[in-house]
Amino acid sequence: MKNRFLIGSRSSDLALWQANFVKTRLEDFFPDSVFEIRVISTTGDQFVDVALSKIGDKGLFTRQIETQLLSGEIDFAVHSLKDLQTDQPDGLRIGAVCKRELPNDVLISKEFSSIDGLPKGAKVATGSLRRKSQLLTYRPDLEIVEIRGNVPTRLKKFDESGVDAMILAYAGLHRLGFDSRVSQLIAFNVMLPAVGQGAIAVEIRGGDAEIAELVVSLEDGPTRTCIIAERAFLRTLEGGCQVPIGAYASLENGQVYLEGMVGSLDGTIVFRESIHGDAGQSERLGIRLAEKLIQMGASELLAQVRAEASAEAVIR
């Protein structure tokens, strides 16, 4: 086995935190090896003031990294798992899934401690159609405004705006040391997270036994089981990060409990169901839950969402 390895990562503070987390863990497991991080710019990083729904859907934050992985310019890549397509490029696979952080979304506000406490007509910033849909289902009186950028950038934009609140993922805030900014950890009955939210994925080349043996030390089996169910749900719905789809799977006593939702952009229509079954059938559970929502009308709703999706004012 060679003793020098190159890790591909995006340039954001959170991406580098994740890459360094993986690097440190591997250095602990393999003290005689050298691990270096190569920063690679992706499409999603280059268009920071454009709504994600206008840029496209597939590989926004992974394509350029995966190109270098396939060509052998890097040995493996570290991603937020929620950024990975459910159908990965030929020749690539997820070599390890690290233990998941809390996947909840959180409310950030200078004045208000909860979504319920926001005044009527309050402005809430988010760059996610999934969050927008669920917020408007719960509080149809809210005004949703678009915000883009990495975590520190969004916090700065929010602080300089007149917006009442903002929604972000807990995991990113926690990993970067911004716990003090959290006003409310949002319960799953109000807002289901993105598929894979809070989990870190290590992507490798298929058939690369050397790298597979290296990164398996990072694997967390329970997280992988839950992620398989969530990604099967999303794949069956043919969804991506630019449509209002949420899901969360948990593992208890050998049983996977999966809940999923599909909503309209204005929050007036929501299909939400749950399912549970043996952990060994996690992928099948995700497929079955998606099929339940499709029977309820989810496919037609998603087609309508894709046709209607348009950018709102970006906080600059």
Side-chain angles (χ1 to χ4, degrees), residues 226-295:
C226 293
I227 291 303
I228 287 172
E230 293 177 18
R231 285 170 62 81
F233 172 76
L234 183 64
R235 183 186 307 112
T236 305
L237 287 170
E238 298 182 349
C241 58
Q242 274 45 264
V243 289
I245 296 175
Y248 176 60
S250 59
L251 181 63
E252 300 176 32
N253 300 319
Q255 294 280 298
V256 169
Y257 294 83
L258 175 65
E259 189 166 9
M261 63 76 59
V262 174
S264 61
L265 292 180
D266 62 6
T268 58
I269 303 172
V270 60
F271 302 122
R272 181 167 176 157
E273 282 288 340
S274 60
I275 195 171
H276 73 275
D278 186 78
Q281 299 295 316
S282 59
E283 183 169 14
R284 182 58 193 155
L285 288 171
I287 294 169
R288 284 174 55 199
L289 183 59
E291 289 172 345
K292 287 175 70 173
L293 295 191
I294 288 169
Q295 290 173 2

